[in-house]
Amino acid sequence: MNDPTRPDSAHAGAAAETDADQAAAETEAAAEAVPDRAAHDTVEEAVRTQLTKALGGARGVVEAAIPTIGFTVSWIVTKELRLSLGIGAGLALVLLAVRLAQRSTVQFVLNSIFGIGIAALFALRSGKAEDAFLPGILYNAGYAAAMLVSIVVRWPLVGFIIGSVTGDPTAWHRDREIVRLCSRLTWLLLIPCLVRVAVQYPLYLAGHVAWLGAAKVVMGWPLQVAALAAMAWLLARGRTPMDRSTPAPGA
């Protein structure tokens, strides 16, 4: 039975409990809104995490490579353009089906399917197998040019990864050490693109499809993994504090 002599204390207790629940909910919501800001103490840690997300981890890297490897190996063995394109597309669709069955993200498989589709359009339009490699060469050339310009103007592309973590896309640029670090990291992403273009474009012009296919396999994900390993080594050496003085969006 309720004590009629203590109504105020009962209401006060209920109100306090409600306020505590509301405060806890607000704290949890705030934590969910800016998880990366609380999760990273250094710039290096933030960049490592964001690069892993962007590439989809080890599985995303492998899924992006398998259809291309399938097409390249098939062409080297059979010299059949349509068959090779079909094998590459088929492998991509199998990977997509696995992702859907596991109810996991299909982003990186879709990227791979898109790449195979563009390659097929180029190759089928001209009837030349080497044209399947032209979109990749153009992509690497364009990406390398964009990264080089970003380094020259001292707004290295990797810096914006830090901006996505801190909540301010440009605050990182005020710290010379962070700019220097991001320039080095951007160079490590740029170099594989330059190497691919320097090797593959002359092979494309000469029509050496077998050598071009082999070069694409060797300089695809293995070269990217090597670049990421170099980045991981560079990032592991530094302990640049993450600047959280910039308020989060909406704060």
Side-chain angles (χ1 to χ4, degrees):
M1 180 180 296
N2 292 334
D3 185 353
T5 64
R6 300 179 62 188
D8 293 339
S9 61
H11 286 300
E17 184 177 352
T18 300
D19 290 342
D21 291 341
Q22 183 177 356
E26 291 175 353
T27 301
E28 183 178 355
E32 292 177 353
V34 287
D36 288 330
R37 287 169 63 86
H40 306 301
D41 295 322
T42 67
V43 170
E44 290 80 8
E45 183 182 355
V47 173
R48 283 197 300 269
T49 300
Q50 294 301 98
L51 284 175
T52 299
K53 290 179 180 179
L55 293 170
R59 181 175 179 178
V61 172
V62 171
E63 287 177 337
I66 285 177
T68 300
I69 292 173
F71 166 80
T72 303
V73 173
S74 176
W75 166 256
I76 292 173
V77 173
T78 69
K79 298 296 191 295
E80 293 288 338
L81 177 58
R82 292 182 180 274
L83 174 62
S84 300
L85 289 171
I87 288 176
L91 289 171
L93 291 176
V94 169
L95 294 172
L96 178 61
V98 172
R99 282 282 193 176
L100 291 173
Q102 295 176 343
R103 298 182 181 275
S104 58
T105 178
V106 298
Q107 173 188 348
F108 303 101
V109 178
L110 291 178
N111 290 343
S112 180
I113 292 174
F114 178 77
I116 287 290
I118 295 297
L121 287 176
F122 273 68
L124 292 175
R125 183 177 180 180
S126 67
K128 297 179 180 179
E130 60 265 32
D131 281 347
F133 301 98
L134 183 57
I137 295 173
L138 294 176
Y139 171 82
N140 279 280
Y143 196 39
M147 287 190 288
L148 181 59
V149 170
S150 76
I151 294 171
V152 171
V153 300
R154 295 190 60 77
W155 282 90
L157 193 63
V158 173
F160 294 97
I161 293 176
I162 298 172
S164 70
V165 174
T166 62
D168 187 323
T170 60
W172 58 272
H173 191 259
R174 294 194 289 267
D175 190 318
R176 290 185 178 180
E177 290 302 316
I178 294 179
V179 173
R180 186 177 293 110
L181 170 65
C182 291
S183 293
R184 292 173 181 173
L185 292 171
T186 304
W187 271 113
L188 289 176
L189 287 178
L190 186 157
I191 289 172
C193 295
L194 288 179
V195 171
R196 292 184 190 114
V197 173
V199 173
Q200 294 176 21
Y201 188 60
L203 292 174
Y204 167 78
L205 292 178
H208 295 315
V209 178
W211 282 107
L212 183 58
K216 187 174 181 66
V217 172
V218 173
M219 296 181 174
W221 63 269
L223 189 58
Q224 192 67 31
V225 168
L228 292 174
M231 295 178 74
W233 175 80
L234 179 62
L235 290 168
R237 298 177 61 202
R239 298 288 298 174
T240 308
M242 177 65 72
D243 182 7
R244 295 192 181 90
S245 60
T246 304

